[in-house]
Amino acid sequence: MTTLKTSGARKTLLLLSAALVMVAVLAACSGDGNGDPDGSAATNLRTGNSTIVYDTNSGIHAAGVGTVSGEPDIAVISLGVEALRDSVSEARDDAARSLAAIVEELRAAGVAEDDIRTARFSINPRYEYVRDGQQQLLGFQVTNTLSVTLRDLNATGDVVDRAVTAGGDLTRVQSVSFQIEDTSALEEEARILAIEDALAKADLYAGQLSVVRGPLVSISEGSFNEFPVAEARFAVAAMDSAGPPTQFFGGELEVSVRVQAVFAIE
């Protein structure tokens, strides 16, 4: 056993112990955003010259939703061609000719070059199953699909009809969707509504539980846009020019923002 022989050594040990305790207390209270010793989440809020530590795992948790409506300003059409032939070269040639006719008609309809892009291109063998699980080669299939953006919504039906007529029996129309190209302004409106909704819910919870809603501890956001899609997943034959035109209706679209807020309880 070792004993301290002088009072000076005893004082030094006591001072060192006190310093270590002070360091531990400061580390627990000041927080640098990397977590705390017991693994719970905490947020530091400064009030005047002091810092208050709030646990984000406790308090009032309120979800807010804000939704605003707007009219679409673009239509996005997914269409292209699909050719099945005995050889790859034959299928590719047929698909290329049909797609070239579609693209030419799109340009003639006033669709800008930047609004026509390739969405998918593939070449694959096609098989059918026969007896005993055997496969029989049917031929080779070439698929070339475009994504076409239209800025004149009233022309959507006419453009689809012209593309189908130009592409003939190889034409495939996958879908037509109406969208809002720039949703930033609508998202701002929805964001304000979502925050107001979260505050109202938090105040309701606090009032019913006879507590006081404290300051905001944390908030997170998620946004989503609801754009309907008119599906048309079938082969389209060449159209009779005397037939009725295809019609599409954009309607109204919704832009929503959701927030998850945590408030302290005082």
Side-chain angles (χ1 to χ4, degrees), residues 24-229:
V25 170
L26 290 175
C29 293
S30 62
D32 60 0
N34 296 325
D36 51 42
D38 61 3
S40 61
T43 295
N44 300 337
L45 299 180
R46 291 191 175 276
T47 57
N49 296 324
S50 62
T51 300
I52 303 175
V53 181
Y54 291 101
D55 184 358
T56 57
N57 291 326
S58 62
I60 302 174
H61 293 244
V65 179
T67 301
V68 294
S69 299
E71 294 185 358
D73 52 16
I74 60 172
V76 179
I77 306 172
S78 177
L79 82 163
V81 297
E82 185 178 273
L84 178 65
R85 296 293 182 265
D86 292 337
S87 68
V88 171
S89 60
E90 290 174 327
R92 192 216 67 85
D93 291 347
D94 283 358
R97 281 191 293 268
S98 183
L99 190 72
I102 290 176
V103 172
E104 183 178 354
E105 196 63 33
L106 291 174
R107 291 169 178 161
V111 181
E113 292 288 341
D114 291 343
D115 290 331
I116 304 173
R117 66 177 181 84
T118 299
R120 179 193 174 207
F121 179 82
S122 63
I123 301 177
N124 295 294
R126 281 279 301 274
Y127 297 93
E128 70 172 350
Y129 286 94
V130 294
R131 294 180 180 179
D132 301 325
Q134 299 297 315
Q135 290 182 331
Q136 179 178 336
L137 180 65
L138 292 178
F140 296 88
Q141 179 176 294
V142 173
T143 301
N144 198 343
T145 304
L146 302 176
S147 178
V148 181
T149 300
L150 300 183
R151 303 186 183 279
D152 181 4
L153 300 188
N154 294 327
T156 304
D158 179 61
V159 170
V160 169
D161 289 346
R162 293 174 65 169
V164 168
T165 301
D169 292 344
L170 299 185
T171 307
R172 303 292 183 267
V173 179
Q174 301 297 327
S175 64
V176 177
S177 66
F178 295 92
Q179 303 176 13
I180 300 173
E181 188 170 25
D182 184 3
T183 60
S184 56
L186 294 176
E187 287 176 359
E188 287 296 320
E189 294 181 38
R191 190 171 288 115
I192 294 173
L193 294 176
I195 293 172
E196 292 175 349
D197 186 37
L199 283 169
K201 289 178 180 176
D203 287 339
L204 175 63
Y205 299 148
Q208 292 297 313
L209 297 172
S210 300
V211 298
V212 177
R213 172 177 61 82
L216 178 70
V217 175
S218 71
I219 188 170
S220 59
E221 176 193 307
S223 61
F224 60 92
N225 303 326
E226 298 182 356
F227 294 152
V229 178

